Structures are given as structure tokens and as C-alpha cells.
Amino acid sequence: MGYEHLLVKQDGDTVRITMNRPERRNALSEDHLRELLDAFETAGSSDATGIVLGAEGKAFSAGHDFADVAARDLKGVRELLTLCTEVMQTIQAVPQVVVAKVQAIATAAGCQLVATCDLAVAAESAAFALPGGKGGWFCHTPAVPVARNVGRKRLMELALTGDPIDARTAAEWGLVNYVVPDAELDARTDELLARATRGSRFGKEIGKQTLYAQLDRPEADAYAIAVEVMAAMSQSAGAKEGMASFLEKRRPVWPD
């Protein structure tokens, strides 16, 4: 489908989803969220091995579009937040590796998008914030994935002060994987994606799903999940080829 707020193209094994609403700082209106949901669902069902989420303009995303939010009653805002949550959960549910390519500031639900992606690379000029803490609408839902990326005290600082952190601090805190010169953002994002998509496509898909399933569970529960999945996956074609190529001292020929 054609999109109003996104640019989407498949570049070899990679689907590139670029938010393209710079005049609104890529704020997440209902229409924008629905397009993101459709784009990720479509990419998820494709034969791509990776997805890059980027943005045009001076903001990666300014979060929810207040013009949209302010016009809604309680039921309408709840529906909007539920839609946003569905987008975030879809990003983690698709079989592909998803990398956020952050060229500028990511605030509130924009920071939520970065924290939700499997991996993230930021330009040196990028910044990150949960600004609700110094405003009137606290960043409750954006804090959910951010809490799972950074430590408790760091989350509290972000959420309670609302102050932005620079890209280097975001990397130190675990919100992004790498910070690179602005001119190298595209190349370094693609380099990380290439490393993260090596090997069996099916094995990677199950691996990603299992990692999210066991994260934040008690250790015993996490091991119970991981043991069963890892045992089952030992019988997959990709696992058998990986072990055979190692034992035979040759390069693997992946079946998928």
C-alpha cells in the first residue's frame, strides 16, 4: 500500500521503514501509528531478514501527537495507547532483526520506539528523553520498554526529571548499542544489521522470540523456556548444518 507518513522500500534482504512526517517532528498520530503497524506486519511476512526503522527531519520522533491526543476523551486516548502498544509488540514479534537508526532527538513514544527495537544505532547528534516528568502527562507507556533497557535509577532519572540525555550517555546506559559520527550512521547501521542477520533465518526467528519470552522472568522460569526451545531447535535444518559445517571444518550452507 502507499503511505502518507512513511517511506518503505525493500533493499535486498532489508526492509527500510522511514518515518516521513518532518513537519510534525514525526509525531505519532493515529494515522501514523496505523501505517507503522501495517508496514511492520507486511515486512514481517516478507522474505526479508532485517528491518531498519529510520526517520527524516530534525526529530526521530517527538512521541504522541498532542493535537490528536487532546481531541480525545478517555476512551479515545485508551484506544490510541492500545494501538501504540500493538505497534511496539509487533516490532518485537516479527521474525526479522529490527534496528533503529536514530539521527536526531527521540522523545516520549519516540524514545519508546528506540527502546522497543532489537538493536539501535545513534548519531552523535541524537538525544533521548521521557519529557512527561516535567510536564503534565507522565510517560507511563514509554517507560515500559525503556525500563527494560536501562537500570532502575537511570529510568527514574529519565522519567522523573524529563531531561534529555545525549547519545553517548544513551549508549552508556544501554538504550542504544552504538554511537557513531553522523556521516557514518547509515553505514554503521547496515554493518550491525549484517552481523545480526548471519546464519539460519529460522533459527534467528525462534531465537529472537525466545529471548523476549524469557527476559524479565525468574531465572528458573527462563531456563525452563530456554531448555525446551534449544532442545527442539537442535533438530532444525539450520542447527544440523551449523554443527556439521563446524565438525567438517567447512563454511556452512544455510538451508533458509
Side-chain angles (χ1 to χ4, degrees):
M1 63 174 288
Y3 296 110
E4 181 181 358
H5 305 306
L6 304 177
L7 302 173
V8 180
K9 67 175 183 177
Q10 184 153 354
D11 180 13
D13 290 332
T14 302
V15 173
R16 302 185 187 278
I17 300 173
T18 304
M19 294 181 284
N20 189 35
R21 200 184 179 210
E23 72 284 358
R24 295 291 297 170
R25 296 172 63 82
N26 294 310
L28 301 176
S29 64
E30 179 180 356
D31 289 346
H32 189 159
L33 286 167
R34 291 199 181 281
E35 289 190 2
L36 280 172
L37 180 61
D38 184 85
F40 274 101
E41 289 178 338
T42 301
S45 62
S46 75
D47 60 358
T49 58
I51 300 171
V52 174
L53 176 63
E56 294 287 341
K58 296 180 179 180
F60 177 80
S61 174
H64 287 293
D65 189 332
F66 280 6
D68 189 354
V69 176
R72 296 170 179 263
D73 59 11
L74 174 60
K75 179 176 181 292
V77 175
R78 184 180 291 118
E79 290 172 348
L80 183 68
L81 294 176
T82 299
L83 171 61
C84 185
T85 300
E86 187 178 2
V87 171
M88 304 298 165
Q89 292 174 332
T90 299
I91 289 171
Q92 295 188 341
V94 295
Q96 291 85 1
V97 177
V98 182
V99 183
K101 184 183 70 173
V102 189
Q103 91 291 1
I105 192 163
T107 64
C111 189
Q112 182 181 3
L113 272 173
V114 177
T116 296
C117 290
D118 305 320
L119 302 166
V121 181
E124 290 177 335
S125 60
F128 304 83
L130 298 180
K134 59 181 179 183
W137 197 30
F138 200 84
C139 289
H140 297 282
T141 53
V144 173
V146 173
R148 286 152 175 78
N149 282 241
V150 306
R152 181 175 298 199
K153 288 294 190 290
R154 288 165 173 171
L155 167 71
M156 289 297 183
E157 181 176 344
L158 278 167
L160 296 175
T161 69
D163 293 335
I165 57 173
D166 61 26
R168 294 288 177 194
T169 302
E172 178 186 339
W173 288 11
L175 187 59
V176 302
N177 296 85
Y178 297 102
V179 176
V180 303
D182 288 38
E184 298 178 16
L185 182 59
D186 288 345
R188 293 290 295 276
T189 299
D190 287 351
E191 184 270 337
L192 176 58
L193 184 63
R195 290 193 288 117
T197 53
R198 292 176 294 196
S200 164
R201 185 178 186 276
F202 179 61
K204 194 82 66 175
E205 172 186 353
I206 301 301
K208 172 179 168 174
Q209 292 173 354
T210 306
L211 286 174
Y212 283 120
Q214 60 97 350
L215 281 172
D216 302 312
R217 291 177 181 264
E219 187 174 288
D221 292 351
Y223 270 123
I225 292 169
V227 164
E228 287 305 312
V229 176
M230 195 164 185
M233 288 301 294
S234 72
Q235 305 305 302
S236 70
K240 288 183 179 294
E241 170 60 14
M243 286 183 274
S245 64
F246 176 82
L247 293 171
E248 296 166 11
K249 296 181 173 57
R250 60 173 174 80
R251 294 180 67 85
V253 180
W254 301 114
D256 53 1

